[in-house]
Amino acid sequence: MEKKYYPTIGLEVHAELKTNTKMFCSCKNNPDEEKPNINVCPVCMAHPGTLPVINKKAIESVIKVGLALGGDIADFTEFDRKNYFYPDIPKGYQISQYKYPIVSGGSLANFDITRVHLEEDTANNKHFDSYSLVDFNRGGVPLMELVTEPNTFDNAEIAAKTTSNFAKELQLILWYLGVSEANMEKGEMRVEANISVSENQKVLGTKVEVKNLNSFKSVEKAIKFELDRMTELLENGKGEDIVQETRGWDEAKQKTFSQRKKESSHDYRYFPEPDLPKMKLHEVFDLEKMKSELPELPVEKRTRYKNDFGIKDEDIEIYINDLIYDAFFEKVAIILNNKEKTKIASNFITNDLIGIKEFGVNSVVPEVEGFVELVNLFSENIISSNVAKHLLQLITTREKGNSPLKIATEKNLLQKNNEGEIKGIVEKIIAENPEVVATYKAGKENAIMSLVGKIIKESNGSANPQIVIKMLKDLLARP
Ligand code: ZN
Ligand code: MN
């Protein structure tokens, strides 16, 4: 019997918080600053004699995350010094949290959360051929660190998918709470995965840490690659070749590579930060109120959209991930107040509107009123689906704000249900296409569709296809 291998994944995710100022000083927190060393001051540059001051907004942001994840908010919490020496940390220690994190427990997208704490980000090292430069703009920016419990999966594929899905869900929550942009490409959210494979669910295998994952795709691919690499070593009896180390992800080669073998475990000599006060969060924050004021979270929105509107899961995901389309859809749904029409509206948004760009800008939407009018015109058979799509394009771009009914009337695009009006066009097309008519009369029934297409085109898309087909069949059936 083939042996089974169980992958285990634990995650550490860092996310830069979106605050006006840094964690312990009044420097601007601006991730888009391109000039180096602009947002710096004696505090974040570690000049002697300076003292840190806690950014309350950053604490509040982590509490919101904790509440959204269903974790426990600490009654008592404090900051600690994590001591190490490196050019990106001018104090010689990072202010972080050790024994008393702000949040303990909670869960998200199939992972249990161990803790969420707050610390300061390090500066950015830029390496050149023979020298390195340090940019301190990022140094001291509030950084949230979330740690998950190790999670054991059935196979590598599920492990990789579940992990990248977790990262996506976390990003959504940070967006919905408005606490972080969490853009992975920009390093605002950084995922590290602790990966091991075991032949026995009860004993964990040797752990490898994979870093440099700067997209959801690379999270998935790197984990799959690393699990396959480890499993293959185990299958070939080379389990001892799996060593505890840090590995990076090479996007070009689509491979993980060894960055450094684990030296004897770091001793950071954590101790409580003496320059900052201890905190009693339950006294400072009204947690009940904060909880009741949390925005609707993705998981709640999914359920509501499914129950209230009955739209497809993949369409719901479009709204979950794009707040512009989402806000637009919600306004439309409220005005329409009709399940069938709301479904039609959603189809226009997710199939057609999504492809419309104005000046290269994504997620452009028309005026709500005009769009509602368009949905009503289509639902009541006053315009055809092709005309509706055409009008949608117009009212989203150069005819923005205009009434679709007015445009359709002017351009003579209203659906022609009037048989007399359609008949003229049908007769014209029959007369112009004797060969197709002959083919049809010879028994090739499908040929009729080419005539239908020509008639609808001739009517600028306004002829009702059902009426056209019936009329054609009647006319061509005559001896
Ligand atoms: Zn500063
Ligand atoms: Mn950290």
Side-chain angles (χ1 to χ4, degrees), residues 234-262:
L234 288 172
E235 273 170 348
N236 296 331
K238 290 182 181 164
E240 71 279 3
D241 285 359
I242 302 173
V243 293
Q244 198 170 329
E245 62 182 339
T246 301
R247 294 177 75 87
W249 171 244
D250 187 326
E251 189 64 47
K253 292 187 186 144
Q254 298 280 300
K255 275 178 166 184
T256 63
F257 61 95
S258 179
Q259 283 184 313
R260 56 190 144 91
K261 308 277 180 226
K262 193 85 177 180

PDB file of all heavy atoms in Angstrom, residues 234-262:
ATOM      1  N   LEU A 234      11.179  12.156   1.267  1.00  0.00           N
ATOM      2  CA  LEU A 234      10.728  11.118   2.196  1.00  0.00           C
ATOM      3  C   LEU A 234      10.468   9.807   1.461  1.00  0.00           C
ATOM      4  O   LEU A 234      10.872   8.733   1.916  1.00  0.00           O
ATOM      5  CB  LEU A 234       9.448  11.566   2.918  1.00  0.00           C
ATOM      6  CG  LEU A 234       9.619  12.669   3.970  1.00  0.00           C
ATOM      7  CD1 LEU A 234       8.265  13.155   4.468  1.00  0.00           C
ATOM      8  CD2 LEU A 234      10.456  12.175   5.157  1.00  0.00           C
ATOM      9  N   GLU A 235       9.838   9.905   0.297  1.00  0.00           N
ATOM     10  CA  GLU A 235       9.528   8.698  -0.476  1.00  0.00           C
ATOM     11  C   GLU A 235      10.795   7.954  -0.882  1.00  0.00           C
ATOM     12  O   GLU A 235      10.812   6.738  -0.993  1.00  0.00           O
ATOM     13  CB  GLU A 235       8.741   9.073  -1.742  1.00  0.00           C
ATOM     14  CG  GLU A 235       7.247   9.146  -1.498  1.00  0.00           C
ATOM     15  CD  GLU A 235       6.478   9.750  -2.669  1.00  0.00           C
ATOM     16  OE1 GLU A 235       7.116  10.326  -3.571  1.00  0.00           O
ATOM     17  OE2 GLU A 235       5.234   9.653  -2.637  1.00  0.00           O
ATOM     18  N   ASN A 236      11.869   8.719  -1.137  1.00  0.00           N
ATOM     19  CA  ASN A 236      13.117   8.099  -1.553  1.00  0.00           C
ATOM     20  C   ASN A 236      14.032   7.765  -0.382  1.00  0.00           C
ATOM     21  O   ASN A 236      15.227   7.552  -0.570  1.00  0.00           O
ATOM     22  CB  ASN A 236      13.856   9.012  -2.539  1.00  0.00           C
ATOM     23  CG  ASN A 236      13.053   9.196  -3.814  1.00  0.00           C
ATOM     24  OD1 ASN A 236      12.287   8.294  -4.197  1.00  0.00           O
ATOM     25  ND2 ASN A 236      13.193  10.336  -4.451  1.00  0.00           N
ATOM     26  N   GLY A 237      13.470   7.776   0.803  1.00  0.00           N
ATOM     27  CA  GLY A 237      14.264   7.442   1.980  1.00  0.00           C
ATOM     28  C   GLY A 237      15.331   8.460   2.303  1.00  0.00           C
ATOM     29  O   GLY A 237      16.339   8.148   2.935  1.00  0.00           O
ATOM     30  N   LYS A 238      15.135   9.690   1.804  1.00  0.00           N
ATOM     31  CA  LYS A 238      16.147  10.715   2.065  1.00  0.00           C
ATOM     32  C   LYS A 238      15.627  11.770   3.036  1.00  0.00           C
ATOM     33  O   LYS A 238      15.942  12.954   2.918  1.00  0.00           O
ATOM     34  CB  LYS A 238      16.558  11.390   0.758  1.00  0.00           C
ATOM     35  CG  LYS A 238      17.364  10.498  -0.158  1.00  0.00           C
ATOM     36  CD  LYS A 238      17.743  11.287  -1.390  1.00  0.00           C
ATOM     37  CE  LYS A 238      18.543  10.425  -2.359  1.00  0.00           C
ATOM     38  NZ  LYS A 238      18.591  11.053  -3.682  1.00  0.00           N
ATOM     39  N   GLY A 239      14.801  11.324   3.970  1.00  0.00           N
ATOM     40  CA  GLY A 239      14.202  12.242   4.929  1.00  0.00           C
ATOM     41  C   GLY A 239      15.220  13.098   5.651  1.00  0.00           C
ATOM     42  O   GLY A 239      14.946  14.243   6.002  1.00  0.00           O
ATOM     43  N   GLU A 240      16.436  12.552   5.842  1.00  0.00           N
ATOM     44  CA  GLU A 240      17.449  13.333   6.589  1.00  0.00           C
ATOM     45  C   GLU A 240      17.949  14.537   5.802  1.00  0.00           C
ATOM     46  O   GLU A 240      18.561  15.449   6.354  1.00  0.00           O
ATOM     47  CB  GLU A 240      18.624  12.431   7.033  1.00  0.00           C
ATOM     48  CG  GLU A 240      19.538  11.945   5.933  1.00  0.00           C
ATOM     49  CD  GLU A 240      18.965  10.714   5.180  1.00  0.00           C
ATOM     50  OE1 GLU A 240      17.826  10.276   5.488  1.00  0.00           O
ATOM     51  OE2 GLU A 240      19.661  10.207   4.293  1.00  0.00           O
ATOM     52  N   ASP A 241      17.646  14.567   4.470  1.00  0.00           N
ATOM     53  CA  ASP A 241      18.034  15.740   3.669  1.00  0.00           C
ATOM     54  C   ASP A 241      17.122  16.943   3.921  1.00  0.00           C
ATOM     55  O   ASP A 241      17.420  18.049   3.487  1.00  0.00           O
ATOM     56  CB  ASP A 241      17.988  15.403   2.167  1.00  0.00           C
ATOM     57  CG  ASP A 241      19.172  14.536   1.762  1.00  0.00           C
ATOM     58  OD1 ASP A 241      20.003  14.235   2.651  1.00  0.00           O
ATOM     59  OD2 ASP A 241      19.260  14.166   0.581  1.00  0.00           O
ATOM     60  N   ILE A 242      15.993  16.697   4.582  1.00  0.00           N
ATOM     61  CA  ILE A 242      15.136  17.833   4.937  1.00  0.00           C
ATOM     62  C   ILE A 242      15.712  18.442   6.200  1.00  0.00           C
ATOM     63  O   ILE A 242      15.768  17.793   7.241  1.00  0.00           O
ATOM     64  CB  ILE A 242      13.685  17.377   5.207  1.00  0.00           C
ATOM     65  CG1 ILE A 242      13.119  16.674   3.965  1.00  0.00           C
ATOM     66  CG2 ILE A 242      12.814  18.575   5.590  1.00  0.00           C
ATOM     67  CD1 ILE A 242      11.750  16.055   4.203  1.00  0.00           C
ATOM     68  N   VAL A 243      16.206  19.685   6.073  1.00  0.00           N
ATOM     69  CA  VAL A 243      16.802  20.324   7.244  1.00  0.00           C
ATOM     70  C   VAL A 243      16.007  21.572   7.600  1.00  0.00           C
ATOM     71  O   VAL A 243      15.353  22.169   6.744  1.00  0.00           O
ATOM     72  CB  VAL A 243      18.274  20.716   6.997  1.00  0.00           C
ATOM     73  CG1 VAL A 243      19.128  19.462   6.849  1.00  0.00           C
ATOM     74  CG2 VAL A 243      18.404  21.598   5.767  1.00  0.00           C
ATOM     75  N   GLN A 244      16.107  21.918   8.855  1.00  0.00           N
ATOM     76  CA  GLN A 244      15.411  23.119   9.300  1.00  0.00           C
ATOM     77  C   GLN A 244      16.131  24.334   8.715  1.00  0.00           C
ATOM     78  O   GLN A 244      17.303  24.561   8.979  1.00  0.00           O
ATOM     79  CB  GLN A 244      15.426  23.164  10.824  1.00  0.00           C
ATOM     80  CG  GLN A 244      14.369  24.106  11.358  1.00  0.00           C
ATOM     81  CD  GLN A 244      14.223  23.980  12.860  1.00  0.00           C
ATOM     82  OE1 GLN A 244      14.423  22.905  13.426  1.00  0.00           O
ATOM     83  NE2 GLN A 244      13.864  25.072  13.498  1.00  0.00           N
ATOM     84  N   GLU A 245      15.415  25.084   7.884  1.00  0.00           N
ATOM     85  CA  GLU A 245      16.062  26.208   7.214  1.00  0.00           C
ATOM     86  C   GLU A 245      15.020  27.210   6.735  1.00  0.00           C
ATOM     87  O   GLU A 245      13.824  26.943   6.768  1.00  0.00           O
ATOM     88  CB  GLU A 245      16.862  25.706   5.997  1.00  0.00           C
ATOM     89  CG  GLU A 245      15.972  25.033   4.954  1.00  0.00           C
ATOM     90  CD  GLU A 245      16.743  24.478   3.763  1.00  0.00           C
ATOM     91  OE1 GLU A 245      17.873  24.927   3.517  1.00  0.00           O
ATOM     92  OE2 GLU A 245      16.191  23.586   3.075  1.00  0.00           O
ATOM     93  N   THR A 246      15.532  28.354   6.275  1.00  0.00           N
ATOM     94  CA  THR A 246      14.674  29.349   5.654  1.00  0.00           C
ATOM     95  C   THR A 246      14.864  29.243   4.155  1.00  0.00           C
ATOM     96  O   THR A 246      15.989  29.225   3.674  1.00  0.00           O
ATOM     97  CB  THR A 246      15.058  30.766   6.123  1.00  0.00           C
ATOM     98  OG1 THR A 246      14.928  30.822   7.530  1.00  0.00           O
ATOM     99  CG2 THR A 246      14.147  31.809   5.495  1.00  0.00           C
ATOM    100  N   ARG A 247      13.765  29.145   3.419  1.00  0.00           N
ATOM    101  CA  ARG A 247      13.871  29.059   1.965  1.00  0.00           C
ATOM    102  C   ARG A 247      13.107  30.215   1.326  1.00  0.00           C
ATOM    103  O   ARG A 247      12.099  30.664   1.844  1.00  0.00           O
ATOM    104  CB  ARG A 247      13.326  27.727   1.451  1.00  0.00           C
ATOM    105  CG  ARG A 247      14.161  26.527   1.915  1.00  0.00           C
ATOM    106  CD  ARG A 247      13.560  25.209   1.462  1.00  0.00           C
ATOM    107  NE  ARG A 247      13.752  24.932   0.042  1.00  0.00           N
ATOM    108  CZ  ARG A 247      14.821  24.336  -0.463  1.00  0.00           C
ATOM    109  NH1 ARG A 247      15.822  23.973   0.315  1.00  0.00           N
ATOM    110  NH2 ARG A 247      14.893  24.101  -1.760  1.00  0.00           N
ATOM    111  N   GLY A 248      13.627  30.685   0.213  1.00  0.00           N
ATOM    112  CA  GLY A 248      12.950  31.751  -0.513  1.00  0.00           C
ATOM    113  C   GLY A 248      12.224  31.170  -1.710  1.00  0.00           C
ATOM    114  O   GLY A 248      12.388  29.992  -2.038  1.00  0.00           O
ATOM    115  N   TRP A 249      11.401  31.973  -2.355  1.00  0.00           N
ATOM    116  CA  TRP A 249      10.675  31.535  -3.550  1.00  0.00           C
ATOM    117  C   TRP A 249      11.244  32.286  -4.743  1.00  0.00           C
ATOM    118  O   TRP A 249      11.262  33.520  -4.756  1.00  0.00           O
ATOM    119  CB  TRP A 249       9.188  31.814  -3.397  1.00  0.00           C
ATOM    120  CG  TRP A 249       8.363  31.602  -4.631  1.00  0.00           C
ATOM    121  CD1 TRP A 249       7.665  32.545  -5.320  1.00  0.00           C
ATOM    122  CD2 TRP A 249       8.127  30.363  -5.308  1.00  0.00           C
ATOM    123  NE1 TRP A 249       7.010  31.968  -6.379  1.00  0.00           N
ATOM    124  CE2 TRP A 249       7.278  30.633  -6.414  1.00  0.00           C
ATOM    125  CE3 TRP A 249       8.567  29.032  -5.102  1.00  0.00           C
ATOM    126  CZ2 TRP A 249       6.849  29.643  -7.295  1.00  0.00           C
ATOM    127  CZ3 TRP A 249       8.135  28.051  -5.992  1.00  0.00           C
ATOM    128  CH2 TRP A 249       7.295  28.354  -7.064  1.00  0.00           C
ATOM    129  N   ASP A 250      11.752  31.546  -5.714  1.00  0.00           N
ATOM    130  CA  ASP A 250      12.294  32.148  -6.921  1.00  0.00           C
ATOM    131  C   ASP A 250      11.198  32.161  -7.973  1.00  0.00           C
ATOM    132  O   ASP A 250      10.851  31.134  -8.553  1.00  0.00           O
ATOM    133  CB  ASP A 250      13.504  31.337  -7.402  1.00  0.00           C
ATOM    134  CG  ASP A 250      14.214  32.017  -8.569  1.00  0.00           C
ATOM    135  OD1 ASP A 250      13.509  32.662  -9.390  1.00  0.00           O
ATOM    136  OD2 ASP A 250      15.439  31.901  -8.655  1.00  0.00           O
ATOM    137  N   GLU A 251      10.656  33.344  -8.212  1.00  0.00           N
ATOM    138  CA  GLU A 251       9.507  33.481  -9.112  1.00  0.00           C
ATOM    139  C   GLU A 251       9.901  33.079 -10.533  1.00  0.00           C
ATOM    140  O   GLU A 251       9.128  32.425 -11.239  1.00  0.00           O
ATOM    141  CB  GLU A 251       9.032  34.940  -9.071  1.00  0.00           C
ATOM    142  CG  GLU A 251       7.724  35.218  -9.782  1.00  0.00           C
ATOM    143  CD  GLU A 251       6.521  34.512  -9.176  1.00  0.00           C
ATOM    144  OE1 GLU A 251       6.354  34.555  -7.949  1.00  0.00           O
ATOM    145  OE2 GLU A 251       5.742  33.914  -9.946  1.00  0.00           O
ATOM    146  N   ALA A 252      11.115  33.439 -10.956  1.00  0.00           N
ATOM    147  CA  ALA A 252      11.541  33.139 -12.323  1.00  0.00           C
ATOM    148  C   ALA A 252      11.686  31.637 -12.527  1.00  0.00           C
ATOM    149  O   ALA A 252      11.228  31.090 -13.525  1.00  0.00           O
ATOM    150  CB  ALA A 252      12.857  33.846 -12.624  1.00  0.00           C
ATOM    151  N   LYS A 253      12.309  30.973 -11.560  1.00  0.00           N
ATOM    152  CA  LYS A 253      12.524  29.523 -11.712  1.00  0.00           C
ATOM    153  C   LYS A 253      11.358  28.702 -11.183  1.00  0.00           C
ATOM    154  O   LYS A 253      11.331  27.491 -11.350  1.00  0.00           O
ATOM    155  CB  LYS A 253      13.802  29.116 -10.973  1.00  0.00           C
ATOM    156  CG  LYS A 253      15.069  29.673 -11.613  1.00  0.00           C
ATOM    157  CD  LYS A 253      16.303  29.084 -10.930  1.00  0.00           C
ATOM    158  CE  LYS A 253      17.569  29.728 -11.452  1.00  0.00           C
ATOM    159  NZ  LYS A 253      18.589  29.902 -10.397  1.00  0.00           N
ATOM    160  N   GLN A 254      10.414  29.353 -10.504  1.00  0.00           N
ATOM    161  CA  GLN A 254       9.272  28.650  -9.907  1.00  0.00           C
ATOM    162  C   GLN A 254       9.754  27.545  -8.971  1.00  0.00           C
ATOM    163  O   GLN A 254       9.286  26.400  -9.024  1.00  0.00           O
ATOM    164  CB  GLN A 254       8.363  28.063 -11.009  1.00  0.00           C
ATOM    165  CG  GLN A 254       7.760  29.126 -11.912  1.00  0.00           C
ATOM    166  CD  GLN A 254       6.547  29.795 -11.275  1.00  0.00           C
ATOM    167  OE1 GLN A 254       5.551  29.165 -10.960  1.00  0.00           O
ATOM    168  NE2 GLN A 254       6.650  31.093 -11.032  1.00  0.00           N
ATOM    169  N   LYS A 255      10.721  27.915  -8.124  1.00  0.00           N
ATOM    170  CA  LYS A 255      11.315  26.950  -7.194  1.00  0.00           C
ATOM    171  C   LYS A 255      11.592  27.617  -5.864  1.00  0.00           C
ATOM    172  O   LYS A 255      11.850  28.823  -5.823  1.00  0.00           O
ATOM    173  CB  LYS A 255      12.698  26.522  -7.725  1.00  0.00           C
ATOM    174  CG  LYS A 255      12.699  25.413  -8.723  1.00  0.00           C
ATOM    175  CD  LYS A 255      14.130  25.188  -9.161  1.00  0.00           C
ATOM    176  CE  LYS A 255      14.235  23.875  -9.903  1.00  0.00           C
ATOM    177  NZ  LYS A 255      15.586  23.558 -10.260  1.00  0.00           N
ATOM    178  N   THR A 256      11.606  26.834  -4.803  1.00  0.00           N
ATOM    179  CA  THR A 256      12.122  27.373  -3.544  1.00  0.00           C
ATOM    180  C   THR A 256      13.618  27.108  -3.523  1.00  0.00           C
ATOM    181  O   THR A 256      14.107  26.205  -4.190  1.00  0.00           O
ATOM    182  CB  THR A 256      11.476  26.697  -2.319  1.00  0.00           C
ATOM    183  OG1 THR A 256      11.824  25.321  -2.335  1.00  0.00           O
ATOM    184  CG2 THR A 256       9.961  26.840  -2.332  1.00  0.00           C
ATOM    185  N   PHE A 257      14.343  27.946  -2.797  1.00  0.00           N
ATOM    186  CA  PHE A 257      15.797  27.731  -2.697  1.00  0.00           C
ATOM    187  C   PHE A 257      16.242  28.027  -1.268  1.00  0.00           C
ATOM    188  O   PHE A 257      15.611  28.831  -0.569  1.00  0.00           O
ATOM    189  CB  PHE A 257      16.542  28.634  -3.686  1.00  0.00           C
ATOM    190  CG  PHE A 257      16.318  30.106  -3.435  1.00  0.00           C
ATOM    191  CD1 PHE A 257      17.222  30.845  -2.661  1.00  0.00           C
ATOM    192  CD2 PHE A 257      15.194  30.753  -3.941  1.00  0.00           C
ATOM    193  CE1 PHE A 257      17.000  32.195  -2.414  1.00  0.00           C
ATOM    194  CE2 PHE A 257      14.969  32.113  -3.680  1.00  0.00           C
ATOM    195  CZ  PHE A 257      15.877  32.831  -2.920  1.00  0.00           C
ATOM    196  N   SER A 258      17.307  27.381  -0.838  1.00  0.00           N
ATOM    197  CA  SER A 258      17.780  27.545   0.530  1.00  0.00           C
ATOM    198  C   SER A 258      18.384  28.928   0.718  1.00  0.00           C
ATOM    199  O   SER A 258      19.221  29.360  -0.068  1.00  0.00           O
ATOM    200  CB  SER A 258      18.821  26.472   0.839  1.00  0.00           C
ATOM    201  OG  SER A 258      19.288  26.657   2.150  1.00  0.00           O
ATOM    202  N   GLN A 259      17.904  29.671   1.728  1.00  0.00           N
ATOM    203  CA  GLN A 259      18.477  30.996   2.003  1.00  0.00           C
ATOM    204  C   GLN A 259      19.472  30.905   3.137  1.00  0.00           C
ATOM    205  O   GLN A 259      20.579  31.372   3.046  1.00  0.00           O
ATOM    206  CB  GLN A 259      17.372  31.997   2.350  1.00  0.00           C
ATOM    207  CG  GLN A 259      16.627  32.473   1.115  1.00  0.00           C
ATOM    208  CD  GLN A 259      15.608  33.537   1.448  1.00  0.00           C
ATOM    209  OE1 GLN A 259      14.843  33.386   2.388  1.00  0.00           O
ATOM    210  NE2 GLN A 259      15.586  34.604   0.672  1.00  0.00           N
ATOM    211  N   ARG A 260      19.031  30.334   4.245  1.00  0.00           N
ATOM    212  CA  ARG A 260      19.994  30.081   5.312  1.00  0.00           C
ATOM    213  C   ARG A 260      19.526  28.921   6.177  1.00  0.00           C
ATOM    214  O   ARG A 260      18.340  28.730   6.402  1.00  0.00           O
ATOM    215  CB  ARG A 260      20.230  31.331   6.166  1.00  0.00           C
ATOM    216  CG  ARG A 260      18.999  31.928   6.770  1.00  0.00           C
ATOM    217  CD  ARG A 260      19.326  33.291   7.387  1.00  0.00           C
ATOM    218  NE  ARG A 260      18.217  34.217   7.203  1.00  0.00           N
ATOM    219  CZ  ARG A 260      17.225  34.368   8.081  1.00  0.00           C
ATOM    220  NH1 ARG A 260      17.195  33.664   9.184  1.00  0.00           N
ATOM    221  NH2 ARG A 260      16.247  35.215   7.857  1.00  0.00           N
ATOM    222  N   LYS A 261      20.530  28.144   6.596  1.00  0.00           N
ATOM    223  CA  LYS A 261      20.228  27.042   7.502  1.00  0.00           C
ATOM    224  C   LYS A 261      19.979  27.659   8.868  1.00  0.00           C
ATOM    225  O   LYS A 261      20.538  28.705   9.200  1.00  0.00           O
ATOM    226  CB  LYS A 261      21.425  26.075   7.592  1.00  0.00           C
ATOM    227  CG  LYS A 261      21.931  25.605   6.235  1.00  0.00           C
ATOM    228  CD  LYS A 261      21.121  24.445   5.698  1.00  0.00           C
ATOM    229  CE  LYS A 261      21.665  24.014   4.346  1.00  0.00           C
ATOM    230  NZ  LYS A 261      20.655  23.799   3.323  1.00  0.00           N
ATOM    231  N   LYS A 262      19.133  27.013   9.626  1.00  0.00           N
ATOM    232  CA  LYS A 262      18.808  27.547  10.938  1.00  0.00           C
ATOM    233  C   LYS A 262      20.036  27.489  11.830  1.00  0.00           C
ATOM    234  O   LYS A 262      20.573  26.429  12.102  1.00  0.00           O
ATOM    235  CB  LYS A 262      17.662  26.728  11.551  1.00  0.00           C
ATOM    236  CG  LYS A 262      17.036  27.375  12.758  1.00  0.00           C
ATOM    237  CD  LYS A 262      15.977  28.370  12.340  1.00  0.00           C
ATOM    238  CE  LYS A 262      15.302  28.961  13.561  1.00  0.00           C
ATOM    239  NZ  LYS A 262      14.273  29.934  13.199  1.00  0.00           N
TER     240      LYS A 262
END
